[in-house]
């Protein structure tokens, strides 16, 4: 592996990774503010904003605190030059402001509008006498038996507060001697947080579980009165640090680390804004936190719980029209999946086209007597999973089945352990990857005996083998029977399951071996073409751009005259619009109904474009610490579809796209007055619907979205 080069430019040329991520989450919050977004979709974005912040504190803030404690040296800082203390200060200012805005949106906008729409968030005091009687009975019969009251006194030290659990802090007063006694009650996660008061076709009224527990707290502490109560939640360091080289059993090590995560250091305290100083001082001291780690909120603590509202029956007018994924045209004729792939490469665009084709590929392989072996990488999947079931049946049918299960997939470790064990019990060969690296590539290989010999069928993707996320993430999957791709897939799995070192690749480009170097070569080729007066353009669509060497290469290409369009959904550390450095680079981000997850790389190549798909973003972790794949799309019809439909449509978005400015701010893309609005996800959904009506012709209408815009101003892109 090549030594990582130092950034070529001064720190002012790069945006900070953490602040760029916060800018992304601010764009999520903007969707909750957007009055054109259906109301329950706005509720969903409020919940996503909170969920995103949870992970940010669990991993990123926790990591910065560890760096601060370790006394990180200045030479180890990122390309932007900010040390951990400076970043924590900047995060403190930014996140407190964002959370305050989130609750303003909730209290002043969403809750009143929900009430007007028939969805009413009640307090106990709002209930009618008969309603109080009913919930009082519910508390006695179904809630009280589950609760565990914990008093705090010399014989009962402050209890361990579980990671991300909802808790109630109580101040009790003894009725005998007036002594004040603090106590804690955990709100049981096994119970529904939303307690239904009444529901009808056009009405849904509810109270939160913690409100009901507080109202009945004295029942848990006989002989005491409750003088005060407040709700709080603690976020803990959840980043697993593993010494894999020292592990005899990686699965056992992961299980032990998951237990340690439950008791790791606290990094954030969320608490109701009206908390008393006595309570707050007690909690901050017990959790060993600082004042900046405290987030006082004016409303329900933990808005991830609002997700339950988005699943209510009825209220269709408060949601986006549900997407019905279309069967990819190549598979629509109900032909054998292997016959289709043998005749042509097939591209499937999720969620607009059904993930069912991927499931059918594995299920048919499990059934087909000609299939000898199935090999697959599994990073994240759902429980239950049709793919896991199919792999199990294949092993039971006597086929050679190998599953590489990535146990280190963050926050999915426990799920992955469960189905890794179930696969092993079914006779599947389960391996856990390469020591020191996460296996993040998405690949499946089916080896089939046919009349003319052994043939390999391959599926490669930008997203996981997860039917649930395939309905809400945009991703691309490629099916091929190309012999060179099949050879590469065999080489890949030999590398992952054994100690084989690949000496040659036909098509695959793999990290951490050569992916970064190949990306830099492709950028450099465009730079040289521009200098030679040849057509030169780079279009990148991915989730994050952090790696300084890739940023520097893009700066160099832009300075040579290469038109560079970057569609980066999340983190972008490249600073556009710097005079003489990056003023030829345009960076946009789309945040919409579906999570933009596709990785597509376009290089003009003097008029003969190269198109690559990949599992990797351009980040240090993808280039140096993960096994990733980038692979070319060779079929001309599929290349046309990617260029003229997916990329062209995405570049034209002027409804949900924001453009990055040099100071790190994002602004809505300006819409041309004489052009119709383009919301890329709706356009792509329409193209998939149209293609599904065309029989026997995959892709149906290449170019239906139009050619790539070559000049942003003429194309109405608002630059």
């Amino acid at each position: 592996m090549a030594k990582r080069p130092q950034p070529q430019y001064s720190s002012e040329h790069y945006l900070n990774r953490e602040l760029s991520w916060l800018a992304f989450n601010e764009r999520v919050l903007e969707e909750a503010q957007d009055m054109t977004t259906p109301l329950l979709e706005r509720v969903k974005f409020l919940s996503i904003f909170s969920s995103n912040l949870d992970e940010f504190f669990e991993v990123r803030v926790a990591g910065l605190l560890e760096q601060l404690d370790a006394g990180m040296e200045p030479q180890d800082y990122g390309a932007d030059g900010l040390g951990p203390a400076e970043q924590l200060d900047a995060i403190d200012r930014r996140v407190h402001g964002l959370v305050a805005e989130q609750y303003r949106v909730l209290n002043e906008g969403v809750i009143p509008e929900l009430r007007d729409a028939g969805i009413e968030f009640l307090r106990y005091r709002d209930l009618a006498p008969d309603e109080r009687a009913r919930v009082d009975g519910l508390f006695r019969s179904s809630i009280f038996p589950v609760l565990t009251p914990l008093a705090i006194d010399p014989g009962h030290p402050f209890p361990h507060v579980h990671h991300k659990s909802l808790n109630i802090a109580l101040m009790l007063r003894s009725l005998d001697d007036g002594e004040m006694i603090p106590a804690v009650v955990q709100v049981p996660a096994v119970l529904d947080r939303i307690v239904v008061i009444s529901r009808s076709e056009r009405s849904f009224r509810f109270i939160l579980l913690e409100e009901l527990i507080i109202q009945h707290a004295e029942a848990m502490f006989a002989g005491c009165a409750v003088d005060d109560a407040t709700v709080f939640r603690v976020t803990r360091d959840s980043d697993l640090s593993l010494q894999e080289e020292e592990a005899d059993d990686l699965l056992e090590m992961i299980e032990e680390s998951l237990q340690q995560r439950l008791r790791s250091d606290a990094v954030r305290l969320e608490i109701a804004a009206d908390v008393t100083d006595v309570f707050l001082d007690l909690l901050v001291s017990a959790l060993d936190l600082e004042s900046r780690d405290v987030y006082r909120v004016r409303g329900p603590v933990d808005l991830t719980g609002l997700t339950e509202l988005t699943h209510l029956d009825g209220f269709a007018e408060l949601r986006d029209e549900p997407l019905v994924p279309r069967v990819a045209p190549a598979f629509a004729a109900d032909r054998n999946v292997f016959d289709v792939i043998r005749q042509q490469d097939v591209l499937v665009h999720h969620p607009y086209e059904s993930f069912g084709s991927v499931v059918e590929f594995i299920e048919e392989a499990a059934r087909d007597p000609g299939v000898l072996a199935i090999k697959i990488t599994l990073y994240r999947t759902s429980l239950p999973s049709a793919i896991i079931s199919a792999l199990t049946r294949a092993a039971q049918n006597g086929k050679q089945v190998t599953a590489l299960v990535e146990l280190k997939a963050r926050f999915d470790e426990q799920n992955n352990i469960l189905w890794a064990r179930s696969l092993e019990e079914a006779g599947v060969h389960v391996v856990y990857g390469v020591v020191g690296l996460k296996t993040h590539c998405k690949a499946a290989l089916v080896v089939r005996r046919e009349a003319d010999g052994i043939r390999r069928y391959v599926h490669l993707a930008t997203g996981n083998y997860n039917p649930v996320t395939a309905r809400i993430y945009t991703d691309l999957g490629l099916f091929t029977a190309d012999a060179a791709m099949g050879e590469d897939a065999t080489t890949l799995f030999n590398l992952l399951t054994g100690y084989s070192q690949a000496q040659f690749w036909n098509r695959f480009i793999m990290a951490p071996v050569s992916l970064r170097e190949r990306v830099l070569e492709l950028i450099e080729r465009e730079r040289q073409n521009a200098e030679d007066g040849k057509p030169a353009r780079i279009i990148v669509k991915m989730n994050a751009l952090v790696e300084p060497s890739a940023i520097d290469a893009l700066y160099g290409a832009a300075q040579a005259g290469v038109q560079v369009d970057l569609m980066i959904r999340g983190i972008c550390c490249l600073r556009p619009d710097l005079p003489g450095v990056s003023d030829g680079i345009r960076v946009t981000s789309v945040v919409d109904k579906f999570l933009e997850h596709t990785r597509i790389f376009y290089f003009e190549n003097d008029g003969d474009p190269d198109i690559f798909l990949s599992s990797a973003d351009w980040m240090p972790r993808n280039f140096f610490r993960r096994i990733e794949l980038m692979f070319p799309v060779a079929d001309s019809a599929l290349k046309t579809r990617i260029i003229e439909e997916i990329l062209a449509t995405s570049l034209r978005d002027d409804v949900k796209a924001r453009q990055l400015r040099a100071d790190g701010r994002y602004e809505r893309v300006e819409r041309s007055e004489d052009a119709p609005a383009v919301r890329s996800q709706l356009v792509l959904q329409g193209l998939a619907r149209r293609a599904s009506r065309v029989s026997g012709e995959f892709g149906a209408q290449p170019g239906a979205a139009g050619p790539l815009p070559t000049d942003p101003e003429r194309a109405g892109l608002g630059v």
Side-chain angles (χ1 to χ4, degrees):
M1 190 189 310
K3 183 179 179 181
R4 293 181 58 184
Q6 293 299 307
Q8 297 177 16
Y9 296 84
S10 63
S11 60
E12 292 79 13
H13 291 76
Y14 308 93
L15 295 170
N16 177 261
R17 181 198 194 283
E18 316 306 344
L19 298 182
S20 180
W21 184 91
L22 289 175
F24 157 67
N25 210 30
E26 183 176 18
R27 298 194 293 281
V28 173
L29 182 57
E30 287 176 1
E31 290 301 300
Q33 297 168 304
D34 189 344
M35 299 299 290
T36 66
T37 301
L39 184 54
L40 285 178
E41 303 297 331
R42 292 168 60 196
V43 172
K44 179 190 73 176
F45 281 112
L46 284 175
S47 175
I48 292 171
F49 176 87
S50 288
S51 178
N52 286 347
L53 272 187
D54 283 351
E55 183 170 345
F56 181 71
F57 275 89
E58 291 172 85
V59 178
R60 304 306 307 178
V61 171
L64 289 171
L65 289 169
E66 289 173 4
Q67 292 172 21
L68 191 63
D69 291 343
M72 188 179 185
E73 297 296 326
Q75 62 265 26
D76 296 324
Y77 295 173
D80 61 281
L82 292 182
E86 295 170 289
Q87 293 182 72
L88 287 168
D89 287 343
I91 289 167
D92 174 29
R93 294 189 298 272
R94 189 72 177 277
V95 178
H96 275 93
L98 288 174
V99 170
E101 176 62 12
Q102 179 192 26
Y103 277 85
R104 186 198 67 77
V105 172
L106 174 71
N107 293 319
E108 297 179 14
V110 170
I111 287 179
E113 291 176 47
L114 284 172
R115 182 174 60 246
D116 293 343
I119 301 173
E120 194 168 1
F121 171 31
L122 302 168
R123 304 300 299 269
Y124 187 82
R125 62 176 176 267
D126 301 326
L127 302 182
D130 62 320
E131 293 172 332
R132 287 192 184 187
R134 188 156 20 91
V135 296
D136 291 347
L138 175 68
F139 176 83
R140 289 190 297 269
S141 64
S142 302
I143 300 172
F144 180 74
V146 185
L147 301 176
T148 303
L150 300 169
I152 302 169
D153 58 30
H156 301 86
F158 192 90
H160 177 76
V161 178
H162 292 299
H163 174 51
K164 293 197 297 187
S165 64
L166 203 61
N167 300 271
I168 301 168
L170 301 158
M171 188 59 71
L172 310 175
R173 176 172 44 83
S174 171
L175 297 178
D176 291 334
D177 56 15
E179 180 184 359
M180 304 304 293
I181 307 168
V184 172
V185 177
Q186 181 176 323
V187 179
V190 294
L191 301 178
D192 291 337
R193 188 176 177 192
I194 288 180
V195 179
V196 180
I197 302 300
S198 64
R199 76 169 81 208
S200 65
E201 185 177 348
R202 301 295 310 156
S203 172
F204 183 86
R205 301 167 69 247
F206 69 96
I207 188 174
L208 294 179
L209 177 60
E210 60 265 30
E211 169 94 358
L212 194 54
I213 294 173
I214 288 172
Q215 292 300 320
H216 294 82
E218 291 184 359
M220 293 178 282
F221 300 95
C224 293
V226 175
D227 276 10
D228 198 7
T230 192
V231 180
F232 72 96
R233 181 174 182 258
V234 175
T235 311
R236 296 186 178 276
D237 181 348
S238 297
D239 199 17
L240 298 183
S241 180
L242 305 173
Q243 300 297 322
E244 295 180 52
E245 294 82 357
E246 302 174 9
D248 294 323
D249 186 328
L250 182 59
L251 187 146
E252 184 177 306
M253 171 179 275
I254 294 285
E255 288 185 309
E256 292 175 358
S257 297
L258 289 175
Q259 292 302 312
Q260 294 171 10
R261 178 186 281 175
L262 296 175
R263 305 193 68 85
S264 58
D265 292 339
V267 295
R268 178 181 58 160
L269 171 65
E270 299 168 274
I271 195 163
D274 59 359
V275 61
T276 64
D277 291 341
V278 173
F279 265 158
L280 192 57
D281 291 345
L282 173 67
L283 290 169
V284 168
S285 174
L287 296 167
D288 194 22
L289 292 171
E290 297 183 19
S291 58
R292 72 178 177 199
D293 306 321
V294 178
Y295 287 80
R296 301 172 71 148
V297 299
R298 299 189 179 280
V301 174
D302 182 20
L303 297 188
T304 63
L306 295 180
T307 302
E308 292 184 45
L309 292 178
T310 67
H311 302 309
L312 290 177
D313 292 335
F315 301 100
E317 71 281 3
L318 303 183
R319 297 184 177 87
D320 283 325
E321 180 184 354
L323 171 70
V324 179
R326 307 288 166 163
V327 177
F331 296 122
D334 200 28
R335 297 161 56 206
N336 179 280
V337 64
F338 299 117
D339 292 342
V340 173
I341 300 169
R342 186 168 57 250
Q343 292 177 4
Q344 63 183 113
D345 287 359
V346 180
L347 188 74
V348 181
H349 193 188
H350 310 301
Y352 314 109
E353 293 175 326
S354 173
F355 189 76
S357 58
V358 180
V359 174
E360 175 61 20
F361 176 65
I362 303 299
E363 289 184 334
E364 181 61 31
R367 292 190 297 263
D368 192 318
V371 169
L372 306 177
I374 305 171
K375 302 183 180 185
I376 191 169
T377 62
L378 295 171
Y379 189 75
R380 301 186 197 274
T381 192
S382 59
L383 285 174
S385 168
I387 287 179
I388 298 298
S389 298
L391 294 173
T392 298
R393 289 196 301 275
Q396 293 168 345
N397 289 340
K399 304 180 190 301
Q400 291 291 308
V401 183
T402 302
L404 186 139
V405 178
E406 182 46 77
L407 296 180
K408 302 184 292 296
R410 185 178 289 138
F411 305 124
D412 272 334
E413 299 96 343
Q414 191 63 55
N415 278 345
N416 290 7
I417 287 170
L418 290 175
W419 47 258
R421 285 193 163 134
S422 70
L423 287 171
E424 285 181 327
E425 291 171 1
V428 174
H429 299 296
V430 178
V431 294
Y432 303 127
V434 177
V435 171
L437 299 170
K438 276 188 181 180
T439 303
H440 191 249
C441 58
K442 330 297 183 184
L445 169 66
V446 172
V447 181
R448 189 172 187 249
R449 181 188 288 117
E450 299 180 356
D452 55 351
I454 299 295
R455 192 182 305 274
R456 286 172 279 209
Y457 295 84
V458 179
H459 175 262
L460 304 168
T462 67
N464 297 307
Y465 290 102
N466 188 327
V468 175
T469 57
R471 294 182 68 90
I472 54 176
Y473 288 16
T474 69
D475 274 304
L476 286 172
L478 177 69
F479 294 92
T480 183
D482 176 79
M485 296 281 257
E487 288 179 7
D488 282 357
T490 296
T491 301
L492 171 69
F493 281 102
N494 287 344
L495 183 152
L496 293 176
T497 61
Y499 288 96
S500 170
Q501 294 189 6
Q503 302 298 318
F504 174 78
W505 297 98
N506 297 293
R507 303 277 193 273
F508 289 5
I509 303 132
M510 194 185 81
V513 179
S514 59
L515 177 56
R516 185 187 71 98
E517 289 69 26
R518 181 60 176 147
V519 165
L520 297 184
E521 288 172 2
L522 291 164
I523 296 172
E524 173 62 16
R525 186 183 67 187
E526 295 303 307
R527 188 193 68 79
Q528 292 179 355
N529 283 346
E531 287 189 344
D532 294 341
K534 299 176 181 178
R537 187 171 187 186
I538 297 170
I539 304 173
V540 172
K541 180 173 171 52
M542 60 184 177
N543 303 313
L545 172 58
V546 177
E547 171 57 33
S549 59
I551 293 172
D552 293 346
L554 291 170
Y555 284 159
Q559 291 163 39
V562 179
Q563 182 179 343
V564 180
D565 287 288
L566 305 176
M567 293 175 280
I568 312 295
R569 184 252 300 168
I571 303 165
C572 182
C573 296
L574 180 147
R575 196 185 289 272
D577 301 332
L578 295 176
V581 177
S582 59
D583 39 14
I585 301 177
R586 181 173 184 268
V587 182
T588 57
S589 169
V590 168
V591 177
D592 201 349
K593 176 179 179 179
F594 306 118
L595 182 81
E596 293 289 336
H597 195 252
T598 315
R599 288 104 169 183
I600 306 173
F601 310 131
Y602 169 103
F603 300 95
E604 180 67 31
N605 190 30
D606 191 19
D608 183 18
D610 283 327
I611 298 287
F612 296 90
L613 304 179
S614 182
S615 59
D617 297 310
W618 292 356
M619 304 178 72
R621 69 184 187 188
N622 301 101
F623 284 143
F624 302 107
R625 301 193 297 276
R626 290 183 172 186
I627 294 177
E628 304 272 15
L629 283 183
M630 183 171 80
F631 51 94
V633 177
D635 183 274
S636 59
L638 300 188
K639 288 173 68 173
T640 298
R641 182 186 179 199
I642 291 172
I643 294 169
E644 297 191 3
E645 289 188 7
I646 300 172
L647 291 180
T649 300
S650 299
L651 285 169
R652 288 190 174 93
D653 194 306
D654 56 9
V655 175
K656 294 297 185 180
R658 284 90 162 172
Q659 185 168 352
L660 176 61
R661 299 305 183 187
D663 60 2
R665 292 180 302 108
Y666 283 79
E667 298 175 350
R668 293 273 185 179
V669 168
E670 296 178 12
R671 185 176 306 156
S672 175
E673 293 182 0
D674 57 352
V678 176
R679 183 176 172 185
S680 57
Q681 291 190 357
L682 287 185
V683 173
L684 292 167
Q685 184 174 338
L687 289 172
R689 185 183 299 118
R690 181 195 308 176
S692 71
R693 293 197 296 262
V694 179
S695 175
E697 184 179 350
F698 182 68
Q701 299 288 334
L708 287 173
T710 56
D711 181 86
E713 291 185 348
R714 286 204 307 272
L717 295 175
V719 174

